[in-house]
Amino acid sequence: MLDLGLEGRTVLVTGATGAIGSAAARAFAEQGARVALAFRHRHEIAEALAVELSGPDRGRAFAVPYALDDAASPRWVVAAVEEHWGGLDVLVAAARRRGARREPHARFEDVPEEHWRPLVADAFAPAIRTVQWAVAGMRKRGWGRIALVAPPHAPEGAPGGEFHEVARAGLRGLVRGLAGEVGGEGVLINAVCPGPTPPDRPPTTPVRPPTPPDWPPTRLDRPPTATAGPTASEGPTTPEGPTTTPQDVARALVFLCSAANGAITGETLTLAGRR
């Protein structure tokens, strides 16, 4: 049996209450990893998942707020994990906002900027910020794995598909550009691009998470805000229905972020799905 070497490793999953994020969190926990669940506004769901994954000692998972539109949030989240468990071994960045709400028959030039900007901007800046804070500790310890989840593929010509392509291209560029710099220090970084996946169904009434009484850690200025719109691992679907399941994506993430992967870095793995 292949040893993935994840027993006792510490993992941070952003977007952990989305379909892909929660599947990834469960998959890492099944391998014996400790998992921090970063969420945007689904506090009750995140806490319930933390209880599910905590294990008999109640110390193998915890939930932490994370806001894509707060520039301080990535620093705070990474530092919270490092302080809680003494380090961060694996980052899975699956958080993103819905964007490009393009009507089926709308023309490209008629899509308002406020509809596509969240998709494009939130694919770049939060991922870069979070990777910056995560990779520093990984380099010091000489081991780390980073996986970025790109927006799902859209069928060719699907409404909004061009904006998803821009977002994916940015994440591919990030992993290609960073792989050479950190690879020699034991840190591997890749991206996973799902096929069309089922859209998340956010709750109709957002739940604002209370600030936990023992957070933020003493060396931080403040916790992230978590009052903006819902995080969603949402992507387009084909007329025949979704072709890639969250579990498919989770299995790919677990391998890329495991000790069994000793050489794959700077790559974007595309999951074509079932034909």
Side-chain angles (χ1 to χ4, degrees):
M1 182 170 148
L2 181 64
D3 181 10
L4 297 179
L6 288 169
E7 180 72 36
R9 293 287 189 184
T10 58
V11 180
L12 169 61
V13 179
T14 71
T17 58
I20 291 175
S22 60
R26 288 188 174 95
F28 280 102
E30 288 171 0
Q31 295 296 323
R34 295 174 290 177
V35 187
L37 310 165
F39 66 96
R40 188 180 183 88
H41 80 295
R42 302 184 200 178
H43 179 230
E44 294 177 353
I45 296 175
E47 291 292 350
L49 184 58
V51 171
E52 174 190 335
L53 303 182
S54 281
D57 61 359
R58 309 288 292 175
R60 302 188 68 83
F62 73 98
V64 56
Y66 175 85
L68 290 169
D69 53 357
D70 184 349
S73 184
R75 170 178 175 260
W76 187 88
V77 168
V78 170
V81 177
E82 291 179 333
E83 186 165 304
H84 191 78
W85 282 324
L88 175 61
D89 299 311
V90 174
L91 168 65
V92 174
R96 62 179 177 274
R97 292 169 64 187
R98 292 193 302 276
R101 299 187 300 275
R102 181 175 173 181
E103 296 299 324
H105 302 293
R107 298 179 300 176
F108 170 78
E109 61 268 31
D110 296 330
V111 181
E113 181 172 341
E114 61 268 22
H115 286 186
W116 58 257
R117 178 178 286 275
L119 172 66
V120 175
D122 286 347
F124 298 151
I128 293 172
R129 293 182 188 120
T130 309
V131 170
Q132 278 188 310
W133 287 106
V135 79
M138 293 177 182
R139 293 172 93 164
K140 289 178 183 177
R141 291 184 294 277
W143 197 95
R145 299 289 185 269
I146 299 171
L148 312 180
V149 180
H153 267 295
E156 186 173 351
E162 64 275 27
F163 302 116
H164 285 80
E165 288 293 342
V166 170
R168 280 193 294 274
L171 293 179
R172 285 196 297 266
L174 176 58
V175 301
R176 293 291 291 179
L178 186 57
E181 179 178 339
V182 300
E185 298 175 74
V187 182
L188 307 183
I189 178 170
N190 294 284
V192 172
C193 183
T197 58
D200 286 352
R201 301 298 180 188
T204 54
T205 303
V207 179
R208 296 192 179 189
T211 301
D214 56 341
W215 290 342
T218 54
R219 62 192 178 95
L220 296 172
D221 298 327
R222 62 187 177 91
T225 58
T227 57
T231 296
S233 300
E234 178 168 316
T237 58
T238 63
E240 295 78 19
T243 59
T244 304
T245 69
Q247 290 71 32
D248 292 330
V249 182
R251 285 188 287 268
L253 291 169
V254 165
F255 173 75
L256 289 174
C257 293
S258 72
N261 172 26
I264 302 173
T265 191
E267 300 296 334
T268 298
L269 177 64
T270 298
L271 306 181
R274 300 177 180 86
R275 300 295 184 182

